[in-house]
Amino acid sequence: MSTERKVAQLIQPQINSFTAEDMARYRFGSYLNGGNGGPDGDEFAPAGKWLAYADRMWDASIGPLPGDEPVIPTIWGTDAVHGHTNIVGATIFPHNIGLGATRDADLLRRIGHATAKEIEVTGIDWNFSPTVAVARDDRWGRTYESYSEDPRIVAELGAALVEGLQGTPGDADYLREGRVAATAKHFFADGGTDQGVDQGDVNGDIESLKAIHAVPYPAAIDAGVEVVMASFNSINGVKMHGNRDLLTGVLRDEMGFEGVVVGDWNAHGQIAGCTVDDCPQALLAGLDIYMVPDDWKALLENLVAQVEDGTIPMAKLDEAVGRVLRLKLRLGLLDPNAAKPSARPNAGDYALLASADHRALAREAVAKSQVILKNDGVLPLKAGARVLVAGNAADDIAKAAGGWTLTWQGGGELDNSYFPNATSIYRAIESEASAQGGSATLSPDGTADAGAHDVAVVVFGEEAYAEFVGDRKTVVFEDTEGLDLLRKFKAAGLPTVAVFLSGRPMWMNRELNASDAFLASWLPGSEGAGVSDILFGKQDATGRLSFSWPADCGGAPVNGTQGALFNLGYGRSLADRSTMAALPEDCGYLTEGVSTAWFDLGRLDSGISAMGGDTRLPNLIGEGGGVVARGFDKDRQEDAREIVFGPGSTLSLSQRGDTSGDYRILYNLASQPAGPVTLTVGEREIDITRNFALSAGKGWREMIITEQCAPGLGNRIAFTSDAPLTIQIARIARQDMPEGAECSF
Ligand code: GLC
C-alpha cells in the first residue's frame, strides 16, 4: 500500500462532506453520519435511502486501483445509542440511565442484538456504542448516556451491550449476521469533569480516577469490544486525544486492548499545538482513526507529509492501519467475495425496524427501568378509573425519547408524525384504562374537569438535549408546568401521579410533595406502554436507582448517602405504599420567575416559551406562524438559532411568572430588512427598522433594551417583520444594566 492509501484508512469524514467520487479517489477507511447527518443531507431519509447510500460508498471504495494497490472496502459508523434512532420508524429503547435502573445484563444483551439487526437493515457496519461513562456530576449534559455513577454497574451492563452488538468471540455469528462492531466510549473519565462541564477537565490522582472511570474498559475488552473511542475531556490539563501515557500506556499496555482507537468529532483539534487538519500528535499518542468530519483532505495530505518527513514513523502508521484492517477482516469484509451492504443478511428487511419482537423488548426495558420514588397508595391505578392525563409531555414521543433521536438534539420540531412505530405515554394509558373498563382524557394544560375524574397523571420533564447543550449549573428544574398542574389537582382533591421524564436525577422536592405517587421515568423512548404497565400494575416495579438522588438543589455531586434524598438502589415495589413525609422546599438557587438566560448555548431555558405565531417552538426549534427556527453553529454545534420570518410573521418569547431585568440580545443580521420590523417589549411596540438597517452586515452585535425605550419591560418580547427577514440569535438574557442605560441595537 502507498503511504497515501495507508493514511486514508485512518481518515473518517462525515457523510455530506464528501462525494462518491471523493471516496473513489481517496478510499477513506471509514465514514460516519453525525447526529444530524443523513444520506444526501436528509436526516429523515427513509431506511432504503440509507441502504442505497451504503451501497454507493461501498462500490466507490472497491473500484479497481492502478498497479497492485490492494482494494480495501470502507465501513460506516453511526450513533445507534438507544436503538437505531437515526432512522424514522426504528425501535427507540430507553436511554442508558433508565437501563441502568434495570440492573439486567441479559436485557442489555438482547437490546444490543436487536439494535445490531436494525443497524444491518440500513447497511451500516459499526455502532459508536455503548457509552461506558461513569457520570459523577448530574449537571453533565450526557448523564443520561451513563448507566450509573457506580463503575461496577457500568462495567457489567456495558460489557453486556458489547456482547449483544458483536456476539461472542469465537461464535459463528461473531461480527457477522445480526451483529455489528461496538465501541466503548469515551476513554476515559468523560463523566468526571469539573462541575460536569462537557469536554471539560478532570482533576485528580490518575490511579484514583482509573479506579472509578476506567473500570468499565477491562470488562468491555474481555467482552471483545473491537473499538474504543477517545474522549474529549482532558485529565489534569492534558487532552486525552494527545495523552500517550493514557491512550497507549493505560489502554493498550496496562489493559491489553488490541483493537482500534477512534477519535471523537474533531477532538484531535483540541490538543495543544494541533488543528483539526494538522495533528500528528494524536497518532503518536495512540489514536488510530481521526474522526474529521469536514477537513479530511488537508488532514490526509498533512499526515502523508508527516510520514514522509519522519514526524510519524512508518512503523507507527503501519501499526494503526494494521488494526483497522484486522477489524475489517473480522467483519468479513476482506473476503474476496464479501457482500456489499444490500446483499448482506437483514439488509433491506424493513420489517425488522420496530418489529413486534423488538417493540416488546423495548416495552420490557421501559417497564424494568421505571423507578417509583413515592407511592402513598394511588398506584396501581384501579380498574375502571377515569384518568385525567395532563402535561405537555404526555403525548410527546420526542420528549420521551430525548437526544440522539432522529436529530442530534432530538425534540424541537419532531412531532409524533416522525414516530410511526411508537406509542406515547398518554396513548398507552388510554389503551390500558379503556381495556380495564375505565377511560383516559388527554388535557395537556390540565383544564379538563377534575371532578369528572378519579386520578390525574401529570407527565412532564426536560426538553430533549445532547452533549454540552444539556450542561446545567444546578439540578433545579425551573419549568413549573408539572408542579403547577400537580398542585392544581391536589387542591381540587384529585389524587395525583407524577411521571417525570429526565436525563438525570434533579431536585424534585416540590413536585414530590405535590404528588401522591412519583415515577422517575427517565427517557423511555418509543414504548409508552412500559410506563402504563407499571401505572396499572400489569407488572411490579423492579426499577432501582442507579444514581443517588440529590436532596439539595445546588447541583453539588452526590455519589453515595452523603447528600442523597434517595440512595442508589432505592425504588419501591407497588406493594410499598408507606406514606412519605413532606420534604423541605427551600432552595437557594430557585430563581422563581426570574431566569437570567432565556436562551444560551443552544438551549432555551425551561421556564421560557418560544412561539412562532401561536405555535410553540420547543427549544426554539421548529416552525409556526410563518416563522422557521433552526439550529445554527456560531462557536459550537447548534449553539445559536437562525430565525427566518415569512411576511408578517412574529416570533415571541415569554417567561412564566414575574420577572425583571433589562433585555440583552446577541444577534447577527446579514442583510438589510426589506420592510418594517417591530420589536414588542411588554406592552411597548418599537419600530426597529432603521436600527436593523444600520446593524445589518456588521457581524454579531448586542441589542440592549432598557426602560428607557420600553417602560415596564414586561415578561415578553416579540419580533414582527412585515417582509421576509433572516436573523441569527445566539443569546437572550435578562440582566440589569447600569441605571439610566439607553437602548442600543
Ligand atoms: C459526538 C460524541 C460521540 C459521537 C460522535 C459521532 O461529538 O461525542 O459520542 O459518537 O460525536 O457522532
Side-chain angles (χ1 to χ4, degrees), residues 225-311:
V225 74
E226 292 289 344
V227 183
V228 166
M229 185 180 292
S231 62
F232 273 111
N233 61 273
S234 50
I235 293 188
N236 299 324
V238 180
K239 278 289 178 182
M240 182 58 71
H241 277 64
N243 193 327
R244 192 187 182 290
D245 290 346
L246 302 180
L247 220 41
T248 297
V250 172
L251 180 58
R252 293 200 187 284
D253 301 345
E254 271 183 35
M255 294 183 177
F257 179 61
E258 296 177 344
V260 170
V261 175
V262 65
D264 204 336
W265 188 276
N266 274 335
H268 57 278
Q270 294 183 7
I271 300 169
C274 276
T275 57
V276 292
D277 62 8
D278 185 356
C279 187
Q281 294 91 318
L283 189 61
L284 295 171
L287 198 76
D288 295 319
I289 293 178
Y290 290 79
M291 188 184 287
V292 53
D294 306 303
D295 301 275
W296 46 267
K297 189 168 188 293
L299 179 66
L300 187 147
E301 289 166 353
N302 284 329
L303 285 169
V304 169
Q306 284 148 0
V307 172
E308 286 168 352
D309 72 14
T311 306

Side-chain angles (χ1 to χ4, degrees), residues 134-143 149 191-197 213 472-475 504 547 555-559:
V134 182
R136 304 288 283 183
D137 190 319
D138 301 346
R139 293 170 293 186
W140 184 37
R142 305 192 74 165
T143 297
E149 69 191 36
T193 59
D194 182 36
Q195 300 190 49
V197 173
H213 298 285
R472 303 181 51 78
K473 300 213 178 350
T474 70
V475 289
R504 62 188 119 208
F547 284 83
V558 177
N559 296 295

Side-chain angles (χ1 to χ4, degrees), residues 12 32-36 77-79 81 127-129 131 142 145 183 185-186 198-199 229-232 263-266 291 404 408 467-468 637:
Q12 183 181 98
L32 85 148
N33 64 283
N36 278 342
T78 194
D79 294 282
V81 296
N127 191 1
F128 301 137
S129 175
T131 296
R142 305 192 74 165
E145 295 185 64
T183 308
K185 69 183 186 180
H186 313 78
D198 188 40
Q199 306 185 12
M229 185 180 292
S231 62
F232 273 111
D264 204 336
W265 188 276
N266 274 335
M291 188 184 287
W404 298 103
W408 176 46
E467 301 192 53
F468 52 82
Q637 210 172 343

Side-chain angles (χ1 to χ4, degrees), residues 1 14 16 48 59 82 132 186 210 222 253 275 368 405 412 416 426 437 462 483 607 637 670 678 695 727 729:
M1 290 172 77
Q14 72 158 325
N16 306 321
D59 291 340
H82 63 134
V132 291
H186 313 78
K210 282 161 62 179
D222 289 347
D253 301 345
T275 57
K368 288 179 173 178
T405 309
N416 288 353
Y426 161 66
E462 290 193 285
L483 175 63
Q637 210 172 343
T678 305
S695 58
I727 184 173
I729 293 176

Side-chain angles (χ1 to χ4, degrees), residues 509-529:
N509 286 19
R510 300 179 296 177
E511 291 82 355
L512 281 158
N513 286 343
S515 51
D516 298 301
F518 190 105
L519 194 62
S521 192
W522 313 114
L523 296 169
S526 59
E527 305 312 314

Side-chain angles (χ1 to χ4, degrees), residues 539-615:
Q539 67 178 63
D540 196 2
T542 57
R544 298 291 179 265
L545 291 179
S546 61
F547 284 83
S548 310
W549 195 281
D552 183 74
C553 67
V558 177
N559 296 295
T561 53
Q562 178 70 35
L565 175 64
F566 305 115
N567 290 331
L568 185 148
Y570 174 83
R572 292 180 178 221
S573 69
L574 282 167
D576 177 355
R577 303 179 172 190
S578 51
T579 53
M580 184 182 285
L583 299 168
E585 296 195 4
D586 55 309
C587 163
Y589 296 83
L590 257 192
T591 53
E592 186 91 21
V594 177
S595 162
T596 51
W598 282 26
F599 173 76
D600 192 16
L601 278 178
R603 181 174 170 70
L604 186 68
D605 184 88
S606 53
I608 309 301
S609 295
M611 309 286 284
D614 295 333
T615 304

